[in-house]
Amino acid sequence: MRILLVEDHVALARQVMEALTEAGFVVDHAGDGEEGHFLGDTEPYDAVVLDLGLPVLDGLTVLKRWRAAGRNMPVLILTARDGWNEKVAGLNAGGDDYLTKPFIMAELVARVRALVRRAHGHSRPEIILGDLVVDTAAQRATLGGAAVRLTGLEYRLLTYLALHAGQVVSKTELTEHLYAQDFDRDSNTLEVVIGRLRKKLGDGRIETMRGQGYRLATA
Protein backbone atom coordinates (compact mmCIF):
# COMPACT_ATOMS: atom_id res chain seq x y z
CA MET A 1 0.00 0.00 0.00
CA ARG A 2 1.30 3.42 -0.97
CA ILE A 3 0.77 6.41 1.32
CA LEU A 4 1.34 10.14 0.78
CA LEU A 5 2.44 12.12 3.83
CA VAL A 6 2.10 15.91 3.56
CA GLU A 7 3.79 17.40 6.63
CA ASP A 8 6.23 20.31 6.91
CA HIS A 9 7.62 19.53 10.38
CA VAL A 10 10.80 17.63 9.50
CA ALA A 11 11.21 15.63 12.72
CA LEU A 12 7.53 14.63 12.87
CA ALA A 13 7.51 13.69 9.19
CA ARG A 14 10.51 11.43 9.72
CA GLN A 15 8.83 9.70 12.67
CA VAL A 16 5.59 9.16 10.76
CA MET A 17 7.44 7.80 7.73
CA GLU A 18 9.37 5.37 9.91
CA ALA A 19 6.19 4.18 11.66
CA LEU A 20 4.29 3.67 8.40
CA THR A 21 7.24 1.95 6.73
CA GLU A 22 7.59 -0.45 9.66
CA ALA A 23 3.87 -1.17 9.30
CA GLY A 24 4.41 -2.34 5.72
CA PHE A 25 3.47 0.81 3.81
CA VAL A 26 5.45 2.59 1.10
CA VAL A 27 5.56 6.31 1.84
CA ASP A 28 6.09 9.40 -0.31
CA HIS A 29 6.64 12.69 1.52
CA ALA A 30 5.85 16.29 0.59
CA GLY A 31 7.03 19.17 2.77
CA ASP A 32 4.54 21.81 1.65
CA GLY A 33 1.00 22.05 0.33
CA GLU A 34 1.91 22.82 -3.26
CA GLU A 35 4.09 19.72 -3.64
CA GLY A 36 1.55 17.65 -1.73
CA HIS A 37 -1.27 18.78 -3.99
CA PHE A 38 0.74 17.94 -7.09
CA LEU A 39 1.63 14.43 -5.90
CA GLY A 40 -1.91 13.67 -4.75
CA ASP A 41 -3.27 14.95 -8.05
CA THR A 42 -0.89 12.96 -10.27
CA GLU A 43 0.02 9.79 -8.36
CA PRO A 44 -2.26 6.94 -7.18
CA TYR A 45 -2.25 6.65 -3.39
CA ASP A 46 -4.12 4.25 -1.15
CA ALA A 47 -4.38 6.93 1.55
CA VAL A 48 -3.03 10.37 2.48
CA VAL A 49 -1.91 11.77 5.82
CA LEU A 50 -2.42 15.52 5.48
CA ASP A 51 -1.41 18.26 7.90
CA LEU A 52 -3.65 21.31 7.62
CA GLY A 53 -1.06 23.88 8.76
CA LEU A 54 1.17 23.75 5.69
CA PRO A 55 3.36 26.40 4.05
CA VAL A 56 2.85 27.66 0.46
CA LEU A 57 -0.64 26.11 0.23
CA ASP A 58 -2.68 25.21 3.31
CA GLY A 59 -3.95 21.69 3.80
CA LEU A 60 -7.63 22.61 3.66
CA THR A 61 -7.18 24.15 0.21
CA VAL A 62 -5.22 21.09 -0.93
CA LEU A 63 -8.02 18.78 0.21
CA LYS A 64 -10.74 20.87 -1.42
CA ARG A 65 -8.86 20.89 -4.73
CA TRP A 66 -8.38 17.13 -4.64
CA ARG A 67 -12.05 16.49 -4.02
CA ALA A 68 -13.14 19.01 -6.66
CA ALA A 69 -10.92 17.17 -9.15
CA GLY A 70 -12.49 13.83 -8.24
CA ARG A 71 -9.54 12.47 -6.24
CA ASN A 72 -11.24 10.15 -3.76
CA MET A 73 -8.37 8.51 -1.83
CA PRO A 74 -8.97 8.36 1.94
CA VAL A 75 -7.46 11.32 3.81
CA LEU A 76 -6.41 11.38 7.46
CA ILE A 77 -6.20 14.98 8.66
CA LEU A 78 -3.65 16.16 11.24
CA THR A 79 -4.81 19.16 13.29
CA ALA A 80 -3.57 21.31 16.17
CA ARG A 81 -4.61 20.45 19.72
CA ASP A 82 -7.12 23.30 20.01
CA GLY A 83 -8.18 23.30 16.36
CA TRP A 84 -11.71 21.90 16.69
CA ASN A 85 -12.84 24.27 13.95
CA GLU A 86 -10.12 22.85 11.68
CA LYS A 87 -11.41 19.34 12.32
CA VAL A 88 -14.95 20.33 11.32
CA ALA A 89 -13.74 22.24 8.25
CA GLY A 90 -11.48 19.36 7.22
CA LEU A 91 -14.21 16.74 7.52
CA ASN A 92 -16.67 18.99 5.66
CA ALA A 93 -14.10 19.45 2.89
CA GLY A 94 -13.88 15.69 2.33
CA GLY A 95 -11.54 14.40 5.01
CA ASP A 96 -12.25 10.87 6.22
CA ASP A 97 -10.72 10.94 9.70
CA TYR A 98 -8.54 13.16 11.88
CA LEU A 99 -5.84 13.02 14.54
CA THR A 100 -4.97 15.79 16.95
CA LYS A 101 -1.31 16.64 17.56
CA PRO A 102 0.50 15.35 19.50
CA PHE A 103 -0.55 11.76 18.81
CA ILE A 104 0.70 8.24 19.36
CA MET A 105 2.24 6.70 16.23
CA ALA A 106 0.50 3.38 16.79
CA GLU A 107 -2.87 5.16 16.61
CA LEU A 108 -1.93 6.89 13.36
CA VAL A 109 -0.89 3.58 11.82
CA ALA A 110 -4.10 1.89 12.99
CA ARG A 111 -6.25 4.69 11.55
CA VAL A 112 -4.45 4.57 8.19
CA ARG A 113 -4.90 0.80 8.02
CA ALA A 114 -8.60 1.17 8.81
CA LEU A 115 -9.06 3.84 6.12
CA VAL A 116 -7.39 1.67 3.48
CA ARG A 117 -9.45 -1.40 4.45
CA ARG A 118 -12.75 0.47 4.46
CA ALA A 119 -11.99 2.07 1.11
CA HIS A 120 -12.02 -1.48 -0.28
CA GLY A 121 -15.09 -2.64 1.62
CA HIS A 122 -13.37 -4.45 4.50
CA SER A 123 -14.34 -3.59 8.06
CA ARG A 124 -12.22 -6.28 9.76
CA PRO A 125 -8.41 -6.46 9.85
CA GLU A 126 -8.48 -10.01 8.45
CA ILE A 127 -9.18 -10.60 4.78
CA ILE A 128 -10.46 -14.17 4.54
CA LEU A 129 -10.22 -15.92 1.17
CA GLY A 130 -11.06 -19.56 1.77
CA ASP A 131 -8.17 -21.10 3.71
CA LEU A 132 -5.99 -18.04 3.01
CA VAL A 133 -6.15 -15.29 5.62
CA VAL A 134 -4.31 -11.98 5.30
CA ASP A 135 -4.13 -10.21 8.66
CA THR A 136 -3.48 -6.53 7.91
CA ALA A 137 -3.05 -5.62 11.59
CA ALA A 138 -0.47 -8.32 12.34
CA GLN A 139 1.13 -8.03 8.87
CA ARG A 140 1.04 -11.75 8.25
CA ALA A 141 -0.73 -14.37 6.20
CA THR A 142 -1.79 -17.90 7.03
CA LEU A 143 -2.72 -20.75 4.71
CA GLY A 144 -4.76 -23.54 6.24
CA GLY A 145 -3.88 -22.11 9.65
CA ALA A 146 -0.12 -22.26 9.04
CA ALA A 147 1.93 -19.08 8.79
CA VAL A 148 3.22 -18.19 5.32
CA ARG A 149 6.73 -16.75 5.40
CA LEU A 150 6.72 -13.61 3.25
CA THR A 151 9.20 -10.86 2.45
CA GLY A 152 8.07 -7.26 2.83
CA LEU A 153 7.40 -6.90 -0.89
CA GLU A 154 5.60 -10.25 -1.08
CA TYR A 155 3.36 -9.21 1.81
CA ARG A 156 2.53 -5.83 0.22
CA LEU A 157 1.76 -7.50 -3.10
CA LEU A 158 -0.44 -10.16 -1.51
CA THR A 159 -2.28 -7.55 0.57
CA TYR A 160 -3.03 -5.42 -2.46
CA LEU A 161 -4.29 -8.43 -4.41
CA ALA A 162 -6.33 -9.55 -1.38
CA LEU A 163 -8.00 -6.13 -1.10
CA HIS A 164 -8.95 -6.54 -4.77
CA ALA A 165 -9.68 -10.29 -4.64
CA GLY A 166 -11.68 -11.50 -7.63
CA GLN A 167 -10.71 -8.43 -9.65
CA VAL A 168 -8.10 -8.16 -12.39
CA VAL A 169 -5.23 -5.90 -11.32
CA SER A 170 -2.86 -4.70 -14.02
CA LYS A 171 0.93 -4.76 -13.70
CA THR A 172 0.94 -0.97 -13.95
CA GLU A 173 -1.49 -0.62 -11.06
CA LEU A 174 0.53 -3.01 -8.92
CA THR A 175 3.82 -1.23 -9.50
CA GLU A 176 2.20 2.16 -8.84
CA HIS A 177 0.88 1.00 -5.48
CA LEU A 178 3.84 -1.11 -4.33
CA TYR A 179 6.77 1.21 -4.99
CA ALA A 180 7.62 4.73 -3.87
CA GLN A 181 7.76 7.58 -6.37
CA ASP A 182 11.55 7.53 -6.69
CA PHE A 183 11.89 3.73 -6.94
CA ASP A 184 13.05 2.13 -10.18
CA ARG A 185 9.88 0.27 -11.13
CA ASP A 186 10.79 -2.88 -13.02
CA SER A 187 7.95 -5.09 -14.24
CA ASN A 188 10.31 -8.06 -14.38
CA THR A 189 10.80 -7.78 -10.61
CA LEU A 190 7.03 -7.93 -10.19
CA GLU A 191 6.84 -11.15 -12.20
CA VAL A 192 9.53 -12.71 -10.02
CA VAL A 193 7.63 -11.80 -6.86
CA ILE A 194 4.39 -13.19 -8.31
CA GLY A 195 6.26 -16.42 -9.06
CA ARG A 196 7.52 -16.68 -5.48
CA LEU A 197 4.03 -16.05 -4.10
CA ARG A 198 2.58 -18.80 -6.29
CA LYS A 199 5.06 -21.30 -4.89
CA LYS A 200 4.08 -20.35 -1.35
CA LEU A 201 0.31 -20.18 -1.91
CA GLY A 202 -0.24 -22.81 -4.59
CA ASP A 203 -0.25 -22.40 -8.36
CA GLY A 204 -3.98 -21.90 -8.78
CA ARG A 205 -4.33 -19.06 -6.26
CA ILE A 206 -3.03 -16.19 -8.43
CA GLU A 207 -4.31 -16.26 -12.00
CA THR A 208 -2.59 -14.56 -14.93
CA MET A 209 -5.08 -12.82 -17.16
CA ARG A 210 -3.21 -12.58 -20.44
CA GLY A 211 -2.73 -8.98 -21.55
CA GLN A 212 -4.58 -7.68 -18.48
CA GLY A 213 -2.76 -8.54 -15.25
CA TYR A 214 -3.36 -10.78 -12.25
CA ARG A 215 -6.33 -11.93 -10.21
CA LEU A 216 -6.35 -13.46 -6.73
CA ALA A 217 -9.00 -16.13 -6.24
CA THR A 218 -11.61 -15.38 -3.61
CA ALA A 219 -11.62 -18.94 -2.23
Side-chain angles (χ1 to χ4, degrees):
M1 302 292 105
R2 190 172 169 208
I3 306 298
L4 172 62
L5 169 64
V6 191
E7 169 61 61
D8 64 309
H9 191 285
V10 176
L12 177 59
R14 183 170 58 249
Q15 292 170 8
V16 172
M17 290 180 71
E18 289 175 354
L20 289 173
T21 300
E22 288 178 5
F25 293 103
V26 174
V27 187
D28 290 339
H29 172 240
D32 63 63
E34 186 174 65
E35 181 186 10
H37 173 261
F38 174 77
L39 288 176
D41 203 40
T42 58
E43 296 285 335
Y45 291 102
D46 295 290
V48 177
V49 178
L50 176 69
D51 184 25
L52 293 187
L54 295 168
V56 186
L57 191 65
D58 68 272
L60 192 61
T61 299
V62 170
L63 180 55
K64 287 179 178 179
R65 290 183 181 181
W66 281 339
R67 295 316 193 211
R71 303 293 290 167
N72 60 2
M73 62 280 193
V75 175
L76 174 64
I77 297 166
L78 302 182
T79 68
R81 176 178 297 183
D82 57 351
W84 65 266
N85 55 328
E86 286 187 335
K87 298 171 189 174
V88 173
L91 293 172
N92 286 338
D96 299 275
D97 197 0
Y98 70 85
L99 262 181
T100 302
K101 296 180 181 180
F103 50 82
I104 299 172
M105 288 297 164
E107 182 177 3
L108 180 141
V109 170
R111 287 177 181 270
V112 170
R113 281 178 175 151
L115 286 177
V116 172
R117 288 198 312 268
R118 289 168 186 160
H120 294 90
H122 296 275
S123 57
R124 296 176 53 190
E126 301 87 4
I127 304 172
I128 302 174
L129 306 167
D131 60 350
L132 173 65
V133 178
V134 180
D135 188 334
T136 61
Q139 296 182 65
R140 69 189 185 108
T142 57
L143 184 61
V148 182
R149 298 189 58 160
L150 300 172
T151 66
L153 183 54
E154 288 169 355
Y155 171 76
R156 293 199 301 272
L157 175 55
L158 176 59
T159 301
Y160 195 83
L161 289 174
L163 287 170
H164 298 81
Q167 305 172 31
V168 179
V169 182
S170 69
K171 291 182 180 180
T172 299
E173 181 178 348
L174 283 172
T175 55
E176 286 177 338
H177 286 266
L178 293 176
Y179 300 113
Q181 182 192 20
D182 56 357
F183 192 87
D184 183 14
R185 301 170 183 176
D186 184 352
S187 62
N188 291 328
T189 301
L190 180 62
E191 292 174 3
V192 170
V193 179
I194 288 285
R196 292 204 306 254
L197 270 179
R198 281 189 170 129
K199 290 180 180 178
K200 296 179 179 183
L201 303 178
D203 288 340
R205 187 82 56 172
I206 301 175
E207 304 172 83
T208 297
M209 312 304 291
R210 190 173 299 277
Q212 299 179 63
Y214 303 100
R215 180 171 61 193
L216 181 65
T218 56

